Amino acid sequence: MTDAPDIPVRVRPEVAALPPYKQGRQAGAEAFKLSSNENPFDPLPGVLERLRAATALNRYPDASATRLRERLAERFGVGVDAVHIGAGSVSILAQLVQATCGPGDELVYAWRSFEAYPWLAVVAGATAVHVPLGGGARHDLDAMAEAITERTRAVIVCSPNNPTGPIVTQAEFDAFVERVPSDVLVILDEAYAEFVTAPDAVNGLREPGGPRRPNVVVLRTFSKAYGLAGLRVGYAVGHPRVLDAARSTAIPLSVTAHAEEAALASLEAEAELLERVREIAGRRDRLAAALRDAGWSIPDAQGNFVWLPSGDETLTFASAFEEAGLIVRPFAGDGIRISVGEEGSVDKVLRIATSVVMDLPEGHPGRRLA
Ligand code: PMP
């Protein structure tokens, strides 16, 4: 919100009431930025070279990013029309919500989850329906199925869940989809899919041919595993009719030629990039194990981040991290999300996490039973 004096321009009241999007805090030169689930590695040199070679800044990009769609379509064994590219997967989320949910309609999702979800519902004029996470900070898919009403137009399933970390299993997802009416869109948000090591996790693109049901759309991104968060490029795989609806609400030409080129180059260098993803997942597992050894009770971490259920101590603990040069993401009254960053950040995170855990009262859900 700004402090500027009010003016008579009429803004939709629900929009005026929205808090502005809160980004993970930027870090000073000395600090580690562990607040936005970014990839700590720079893009590969080959990717940077391709970007440098891509000129033509005076020209508009190819509106539908055809080359990238063709490449992804081939990879996932679907038609080109079953792939849609957006300026980050959050753009596609917004398009899908705009396309399905209007005033009076309901958007169902788990909570706590990705902060953009409630905001997407409000901007579309729709009603956000939060379904509390169940045990282990996991999606409660039974409760989500029960929350679907005549007014529900779309449901979002986030696996692994941002910010808590656990996955939804393939069996849970399949059983859930059986219960969702065929005219309700299911958006499977897999922004962190590449970091998952749990063998039973849902994978919306496991089989060639894309999602089996026409009302399921899978979202992936180049921001996290592929390290291109700054260029903004993500994709959806789903039924062409659903993606056409998303395309109809899209702001034209928002995916730049550079983003498309970098995504293509990253797919070519995938083996090398996925080696780094394995390294980050290994670092995550070491961090999670050490946090548990230090006395924290934390949920399963399957993305590139860990979740400390710090409850009422969240803001105090976040300041302790910050004073030590670690910018983390606090959710007041709930918990702290810490991205898995540079190797040098791990010991520092552990040092602070170990020093604060004993400030949690005995019996606190964030504290492991001794
Ligand atoms: N989905 C989830 C669950 C996320 O955490 C994020 C990024 N924080 C996104 C989607 C959007 O990522 P992007 O727009 O960079 O692809």
Side-chain angles (χ1 to χ4, degrees), residues 123-347:
V123 171
T127 303
V129 178
H130 287 192
V131 179
L133 293 172
R138 307 183 69 236
H139 277 51
D140 181 347
L141 289 174
D142 280 334
M144 288 177 72
E146 278 152 28
I148 294 172
T149 71
E150 295 265 283
R151 310 253 34 159
T152 308
R153 294 292 174 271
V155 184
I156 307 175
V157 175
C158 183
S159 178
N161 187 50
N162 171 17
T164 59
I167 48 114
V168 164
T169 68
Q170 185 73 50
E172 286 168 339
F173 184 74
D174 291 345
F176 172 71
V177 169
E178 289 281 330
R179 293 179 66 183
V180 178
S182 61
D183 60 352
V184 172
L185 181 67
V186 178
I187 303 170
L188 176 58
D189 185 344
E190 295 191 325
Y192 302 95
E194 295 84 355
F195 298 102
V196 171
T197 48
D200 56 347
V202 66
N203 174 350
L205 301 175
R206 183 190 302 251
E207 291 165 18
R212 255 173 293 153
R213 290 187 185 259
N215 63 327
V216 175
V217 171
V218 179
L219 292 186
R220 296 269 178 101
T221 179
F222 286 95
S223 295
K224 313 289 180 183
Y226 296 84
L228 296 180
L231 276 170
R232 316 301 304 123
V233 54
Y235 60 95
V237 180
H239 195 280
R241 288 250 178 238
V242 173
L243 299 188
D244 278 347
R247 290 185 259 268
S248 299
T249 73
I251 293 170
L253 302 160
S254 51
V255 179
T256 66
H258 288 72
E260 183 183 15
E261 196 64 41
L264 283 163
S266 299
L267 288 171
E268 282 164 30
E270 195 165 33
E272 228 170 317
L273 285 168
L274 292 184
E275 191 48 51
R276 294 167 159 198
V277 167
R278 267 189 290 278
E279 197 173 328
I280 295 167
R283 200 174 287 171
R284 168 200 72 203
D285 291 346
R286 273 186 285 122
L287 177 60
L291 286 167
R292 292 190 183 105
D293 285 347
W296 279 97
S297 172
I298 60 165
D300 191 25
Q302 289 286 317
N304 62 343
F305 51 90
V306 294
W307 172 251
L308 303 182
S310 41
D312 290 342
E313 302 300 327
T314 294
L315 296 182
T316 316
F317 289 6
S319 309
F321 281 107
E322 204 166 302
E323 275 161 32
L326 301 162
I327 310 299
V328 297
R329 178 74 79 101
F331 296 91
D334 202 353
I336 298 176
R337 189 190 69 197
I338 306 178
S339 307
V340 178
E342 293 79 356
E343 180 61 36
S345 67
V346 174
D347 283 347

